[in-house]
Amino acid sequence: MVRRVLSLTSGRVAVAVLLLVALLAALGPLLAPQDPLAPSDDVLAGISQGHWLGTDNLGRDELSRLLAGSRVSVLGALEVALTALVVGAVPGILSVYLGRAFEWVTLRLADTLVALPFLLFAVAVIALLGNGLTQAMLVTGVLVAPLFYRVARAATLTVARSPYVEAAVIAGASVGWIVRRHVRSKVLPPVAVAFAQTVGTGFVIVSSLTFLGIGVQPPEPTWGGLLASDLGYLGQKPWAPVAPALLIMVTVWAGNLLADAIRDVSGEAGRALLRSRGARRRPGTTDPDPVPAPAGGVR
């Protein structure tokens, strides 16, 4: 799947942007030219050689704060996506095989989580457990989990009703063997699409919470926190919110673009794409190379 995604221009662009964001998260605090927490007398300064993005209302270097805040923003988005993946996808697969009681309970929990507004619920949990990014992201990931639950359950139901899976069940195959042999290859593409979309959504969620001062307390820099502080001084620096807003927008766009690329190369659409490319590589032929059949079935 990775090679198929990278064969698309959109996939290469999305992966390149996300790798740059990951590199920024890993090296951003080290690349910061100044101490992001150190105030100075040069308050609300414009762009200069010493301050490439100017300074904030306390005289702190904006570029340094933007670089230092990238790690928290990226880790928070990944925490949301990974929590939603584990909490949602695993019960979604097992709900098809563990009986009606487990299925009913998990479906009702998914419906309940969908009905809860994540922002208000995150604020309530933080009020009980203390203001911390980890608590906020774990709660938000649980609230996003129904997306993975429904995607994984729908894909598993499609496989579970296939003749070759029914034959395996009759032959006495265990649930674990069926999941590893048949379900995984069918569930992985839609779950990967959902994961890429959730990474982009996670950046919006992290930025929204930190914009409101939830999860990370000032003066620790985050992209959402920088955006909030810059909006208070638009009269003096109208360009200040552009950099953090642009980083958030580009990262979310790259996550959605990657999700589209994964969807385009998986399932029937991916097999059609391979057939069309095979036909283009062999001009004049009418019978392109057959695409390999999915695991456990007959093409």
Side-chain angles (χ1 to χ4, degrees):
M1 181 187 293
V2 175
R3 283 185 291 182
R4 292 185 184 182
V5 170
L6 294 178
S7 68
L8 299 178
T9 302
S10 59
R12 291 194 295 271
V13 172
V15 171
V17 172
L18 292 176
L19 285 177
L20 285 175
V21 173
L23 189 64
L24 190 64
L27 302 179
L30 302 177
L31 297 176
Q34 301 181 24
D35 185 353
L37 303 180
S40 68
D41 296 331
D42 198 6
V43 177
L44 296 176
I47 298 174
S48 63
Q49 185 175 1
H51 304 286
W52 288 9
L53 295 179
T55 60
D56 63 4
N57 60 310
L58 296 178
R60 297 171 297 192
D61 184 60
E62 290 272 27
L63 177 60
S64 300
R65 290 182 62 77
L66 191 67
L67 293 174
S70 59
R71 179 173 296 176
V72 174
S73 300
V74 171
L75 290 179
L78 289 177
E79 190 173 351
V80 171
L82 290 174
T83 302
L85 173 65
V86 174
V87 175
V90 175
I93 295 172
L94 296 179
S95 66
V96 179
Y97 295 103
L98 294 188
R100 292 294 182 87
F102 184 83
E103 178 185 26
W104 187 90
V105 170
T106 54
L107 281 172
R108 300 293 79 77
L109 285 175
D111 294 339
T112 302
L113 292 176
V114 169
L116 293 174
F118 79 87
L119 185 57
L120 294 179
F121 196 71
V123 171
V125 171
I126 287 173
L128 294 174
L129 302 180
N131 194 8
L133 186 64
T134 300
Q135 298 95 301
M137 295 304 99
L138 287 176
V139 171
T140 307
V142 171
L143 295 179
V144 179
L147 168 64
F148 287 88
Y149 176 86
R150 296 193 180 279
V151 168
R153 174 176 166 78
T156 306
L157 280 172
T158 303
V159 180
R161 294 169 180 170
S162 301
Y164 55 86
V165 173
E166 293 179 352
V169 173
I170 295 173
S174 65
V175 173
W177 186 89
I178 293 174
V179 170
R180 291 192 304 270
R181 183 68 177 85
H182 300 297
V183 175
R184 184 173 57 183
S185 61
K186 291 292 186 180
V187 174
L188 182 59
V191 168
V193 172
F195 184 82
Q197 289 178 332
T198 306
V199 169
T201 304
F203 274 95
V204 176
I205 294 172
V206 173
S207 301
S208 300
L209 292 176
T210 53
F211 182 88
L212 299 174
I214 300 172
V216 176
Q217 288 287 351
E220 186 174 359
T222 59
W223 291 353
L226 288 173
L227 190 59
S229 62
D230 290 338
L231 288 177
Y233 300 92
L234 290 177
Q236 295 84 355
K237 294 178 60 179
W239 67 88
V242 172
L246 189 61
L247 274 176
I248 296 171
M249 291 172 57
V250 169
T251 306
V252 174
W253 169 79
N256 292 332
L257 189 65
L258 180 61
D260 291 339
I262 296 173
R263 183 192 58 207
D264 290 341
V265 301
S266 60
E268 292 297 333
R271 288 192 284 274
L273 178 65
L274 289 181
R275 285 195 293 268
S276 64
R277 290 188 173 182
R280 285 198 298 268
R281 285 194 296 266
R282 297 182 306 281
T285 62
T286 58
D287 185 22
D289 291 339
V291 180
V298 179
R299 189 175 63 88

